Each structure stands twice: as C-alpha cells, then as structure tokens.
Amino acid sequence: MQPVVFLHGIRVSATMWDPVIEHLDRPARAIDLPGHGTRAGEPFSMDEAVSAVAAAIDSLGGNAVVAGLSLG
C-alpha cells in the first residue's frame, strides 16, 4: 500500500492528523512544517517546507501520496 505524508494547515500542527492516521491501514506520517508545532521556533520558508516534505517521503521509502490543506 502507498504510504501517506500529511501536511497541516496554517496555525496548527501535525497532531491535527492523529485521529486520521490511527484509522489507516498503511504507513503514514504527519510532519510539522517550519514555524509550526515542534518547529515553532523556526522561521517559515518554502525551501525549508519542501525539504521537510521530501525528508518525510524519503523516510517512508521514497514514494508517498502527499495530502494536505490550507498551508499544506
């Protein structure tokens, strides 16, 4: 099954996806983008956000569906 990387909306964090991930039957990961959640102290930049998404995809084997809303 295809893994999924979840991206949160603005002003929230990866934890918003916890109720969804617990019901999936496939590998999944929600990440915090710069400036949010565990990375709140970092300034947001598109380059850093793209790097975070790429790292999450790599951690799941290099191929994943990316799902998000708003900022994600």
Side-chain angles (χ1 to χ4, degrees):
M1 293 197 150
Q2 189 84 16
V4 182
V5 173
F6 288 99
L7 306 178
H8 58 78
I10 196 164
R11 297 189 182 208
V12 292
S13 70
T15 60
M16 71 171 282
W17 293 110
D18 289 348
V20 174
I21 291 172
E22 70 184 38
H23 287 94
L24 294 179
D25 61 351
R26 65 189 65 220
R29 178 174 228 195
I31 63 166
D32 285 322
L33 296 172
H36 298 81
T38 59
R39 299 180 67 178
E42 300 175 32
F44 181 85
S45 78
M46 190 57 72
D47 287 342
E48 287 300 316
V50 169
S51 292
V53 175
I57 293 169
D58 288 345
S59 77
L60 292 169
N63 190 4
V65 171
V66 178
L69 70 148
S70 179
L71 176 66

